[in-house]
Amino acid sequence: MPAAESLPAELARIIGAKNVLTAPEKTRAYTEELRGRHRSECLAVALPANAEEVSAVVSCCARAGAGIVPQGGNTGTMGGAVARRGQVILNLRRMNRVLGVDEANHSMHVQAGCVLADIQEAARARGRLFPLSLGAQGSCQIGGNLATNAGGVNVLHYGNARDLALGLEVVLADGRVWSGLSALRKDNTGYDLKNLFIGSEGTLGVITAAVLKLFPALQSESVALAGLRAPEAALELLGRLRAATADRLVTFELMGGIAVHSVLRHFSGARAPLAAQHEWYALLKAGSAAPGPALRERVEACLARALQDDVLQDAVIAENETQARELLRLREQVVEAQRFEGGSIKHDVSVPVSSVPEFLRRAERAVAAAMPGARPYPYGHMGDGNMHFNISQPPDMEAKAFLSQWDAMNRVVHEVAHQLGGSFSAEHGIGISKLGEMRRYKDPVSLALYRQIKRALDPGNLFNPGKLLPVEEGGGGRAANAPPGASATRGAKPASR
Ligand code: FAD
Ligand code: 2HG
Ligand code: ZN
């Protein structure tokens, strides 16, 4: 049994010394989060090259009693890929090969460390579309996308990461490799195991490969931005567009004026797409595998009618690919632009699509009552009922004092979502950041079943201890995934932005 101290050397024997990192200057990219909210203190970073090496690393860590933190691009926002002292970060970046494309089956076999943007490109090169698309696509990995069941801007038409996986390969806690790399669209032979691992945030196994669903490449696209007075109008527009495009609406994002205006104010290259400023903006994209102007004409007619009916105040449709990219970029930039507004407290809630306007009204009122002067900075995937109802600090408040209210403000917003039958985490998961909310809002039967699943698949609590599942109350601190001797949020510090 290797002692913890000798584990790096043991791992080096298995996967090669250059693939086991221990020096802080080499591990930094893996231990520091993009947003600086959490920092890892790991024993080593292991970079295996294939499933067999992952299996050997897992078995070696299990023998040494060291927890394993599976890691992809380290872009997750909930601290799921953050390690504690004595743990090993198992990063899949060397496993970055597209293993095959079956054009007729509309599927692609990839290693889990493939960067999302590379997968999109590989599909494009074969005249196919892999529709998962999100701001971090240049660095997140498909294994991380599946482990978090990522969403993004095309969920409205194509679904979450879960809906885009046909099969998986997973290394289990006992070192076995589960080969569920099916390319079938129909297979009713027992429990759907892949769906246990998708969205499990690295707590049940290490995803090492996947078979993904592809779609015909889009031959015609229509991207537009509309200025609106209220979210109710956006809901009306969403319904009209779905009908007008025969449900070829791929993206429907709502952004508060504060967010769009912040981008226009602070990013030098950004140009105002509409003549006047508006309270709200809807960014939409319709796409079809059929070439020709028909789709654009439908979108245009729908927007013209909505303008006539006073549903929207103004709109612009992209004339070419460059303009389309600029409009889509505006939506991406609202995330980064929020830092120009000072400290920000983030949310990732969902409610039924029909309740989004009501949610926004109620949340705005609740935030104003809880902290006068706080400024909601809402944007998100309205077509999926998923809003990032973020809050920017009151201009006259210290950022530090504002950020100290993170949990309290979360509770205010999550309560509103909960009252409307919503979720406190629509796409970013739980990690270590939302364990308290998990305990509060998740029903006890679900939690009990999760713990049973965790114990069945990972009885030694090897994978991602202390993530996703809150410590069991009344269990003397013992839980299916309690981190040894650590409180659930140890290592967390308030976000700098
Ligand atoms: P990591 O951050 O490395 O890990 C995330 C979790 O998955 C951890 O719990 C980790 O242990 C686990 N994990 C990683 N790889 C594996 C594996 N191979 N096997 C098992 N477990 C694994 N998310 C959205 O859903 N929608 C968005 O629109 C979106 N936009 C974003 C925009 C920006 C600018 C940023 C920074 C983040 C955004 N995210 C979004 C969050 C993040 O990009 C996603 O959650 C992404 O799917 C994480 O992938 P990753 O490879 O970076 O995973
Ligand atoms: C998005 O929709 C992402 O742009 C990021 O989910 C949200 O960081 C955020 O708050
Ligand atoms: Zn999002």
Side-chain angles (χ1 to χ4, degrees):
M1 175 179 186
E5 309 77 64
S6 59
L7 185 56
E10 242 353 270
L11 294 174
R13 267 192 285 281
I14 297 170
I15 60 174
K18 69 177 189 307
N19 299 313
V20 180
L21 316 178
T22 51
E25 67 278 9
K26 294 217 167 130
T27 59
R28 195 158 294 135
Y30 309 89
T31 55
E32 286 187 5
E33 258 193 331
L34 208 60
R35 292 179 175 165
R37 229 190 146 209
H38 308 278
R39 180 172 296 140
S40 293
E41 295 178 51
C42 63
L43 194 61
V45 176
L47 304 169
N50 51 48
E52 291 65 39
E53 286 193 3
V54 172
S55 162
V57 167
V58 164
S59 299
C60 189
C61 291
R63 284 195 302 275
I68 295 170
V69 177
Q71 190 183 70
N74 197 19
T75 69
T77 57
M78 295 294 118
V82 172
R84 294 195 179 82
R85 191 168 296 148
Q87 297 182 341
V88 171
I89 294 178
L90 193 161
N91 187 293
L92 284 94
R93 79 167 174 77
R94 290 179 68 220
M95 297 172 59
N96 60 0
R97 282 189 303 132
V98 172
L99 298 171
V101 175
D102 182 342
E103 286 171 23
N105 192 49
H106 281 81
S107 62
M108 183 191 277
H109 180 190
V110 297
Q111 287 186 309
C114 284
V115 169
L116 175 56
D118 294 342
I119 291 177
Q120 294 167 344
E121 189 44 48
R124 200 172 298 128
R126 302 291 284 266
R128 298 287 179 263
L129 170 74
F130 183 63
L132 188 67
S133 174
L134 43 106
Q137 64 197 25
S139 37
C140 62
Q141 299 175 5
I142 192 67
N145 300 145
L146 291 164
T148 55
N149 186 26
V153 290
N154 294 338
V155 173
L156 175 60
H157 192 71
Y158 295 102
N160 293 296
R162 185 185 299 286
D163 303 303
L164 301 174
L166 293 171
L168 288 189
E169 176 187 80
V170 179
V171 171
L172 306 173
D174 59 10
R176 279 181 299 168
V177 181
W178 172 62
S179 183
L181 284 170
S182 162
L184 302 176
R185 280 178 165 71
K186 294 182 108 171
D187 179 11
N188 280 344
T189 54
Y191 301 138
D192 188 345
L193 294 175
K194 74 174 179 301
N195 271 319
L196 268 184
F197 297 102
I198 297 173
S200 68
E201 299 185 39
T203 60
L204 299 180
V206 185
I207 299 170
T208 47
V211 178
L212 306 171
K213 259 189 215 171
L214 301 180
F215 295 81
L218 296 180
Q219 301 295 338
S220 56
E221 287 184 30
S222 197
V223 175
L225 183 80
L228 307 143
R229 278 202 199 95
E232 284 75 6
L235 187 61
E236 170 69 23
L237 183 63
L238 171 62
R240 286 183 181 211
L241 279 162
R242 288 190 75 164
T245 60
D247 223 8
R248 293 301 321 184
L249 193 62
V250 171
T251 299
F252 191 88
E253 301 280 311
L254 182 67
M255 299 173 281
I258 183 176
V260 171
H261 304 153
S262 186
V263 173
L264 299 178
R265 237 188 351 265
H266 296 293
F267 289 96
S268 52
R271 284 186 305 113
L274 301 175
Q277 293 205 333
H278 298 272
E279 292 283 307
W280 294 89
Y281 296 85
L283 176 79
L284 57 105
K285 171 169 146 182
S288 166
L295 185 70
R296 188 198 155 95
E297 284 165 9
R298 286 175 180 208
V299 170
E300 210 167 326
C302 179
L303 292 177
R305 187 65 203 260
L307 194 63
Q308 232 172 49
D309 295 347
D310 204 28
V311 171
L312 55 87
Q313 268 46 68
D314 195 4
V316 60
I317 306 187
E319 291 294 341
N320 49 46
E321 263 183 49
T322 311
Q323 286 181 10
R325 257 199 311 274
E326 269 179 30
L327 291 180
L328 294 167
R329 180 112 188 91
L330 183 66
R331 163 61 182 88
E332 263 179 39
Q333 286 175 320
V334 300
V335 182
E336 213 196 318
Q338 197 182 1
R339 75 188 153 87
F340 294 105
E341 307 296 327
S344 55
I345 295 179
K346 297 195 171 246
H347 298 98
D348 169 33
V349 304
S350 62
V351 294
V353 177
S354 50
S355 299
V356 170
E358 179 65 16
F359 164 77
L360 291 169
R361 229 188 347 269
R362 286 198 205 179
E364 200 168 310
R365 272 203 307 267
V367 166
M371 189 189 286
R375 294 165 299 150
Y377 186 105
Y379 61 87
H381 320 286
M382 177 163 182
D384 319 321
N386 170 200
M387 291 303 297
H388 300 298
F389 191 81
N390 294 352
I391 303 170
S392 285
Q393 65 172 85
D396 54 357
M397 195 172 187
E398 280 290 314
K400 203 167 164 210
F402 173 70
L403 292 172
S404 72
Q405 298 305 303
W406 187 290
D407 290 346
M409 295 307 278
N410 277 184
R411 187 53 53 79
V412 168
V413 173
H414 294 163
E415 274 299 301
V416 177
H418 182 68
Q419 283 156 13
L420 291 167
S423 163
F424 61 89
S425 188
E427 53 175 16
H428 294 185
I430 307 302
I432 50 176
S433 298
K434 287 193 176 150
L435 288 168
E437 301 306 76
M438 192 72 164
R439 182 182 290 114
R440 182 178 176 90
Y441 293 111
K442 204 78 196 178
D443 81 282
V445 178
S446 297
L447 280 178
L449 288 172
Y450 292 171
R451 289 189 172 108
Q452 275 178 277
I453 291 168
K454 173 74 176 169
R455 286 194 179 105
L457 288 178
D458 183 14
N461 193 18
L462 186 67
F463 292 129
N464 245 345
K467 312 279 172 58
L468 193 142
L469 285 171
V471 172
E472 228 163 340
E473 270 166 3
R478 283 174 48 77
N481 76 332
S487 82
T489 53
R490 190 172 120 190
K493 64 182 170 95
S496 53
R497 57 181 162 105

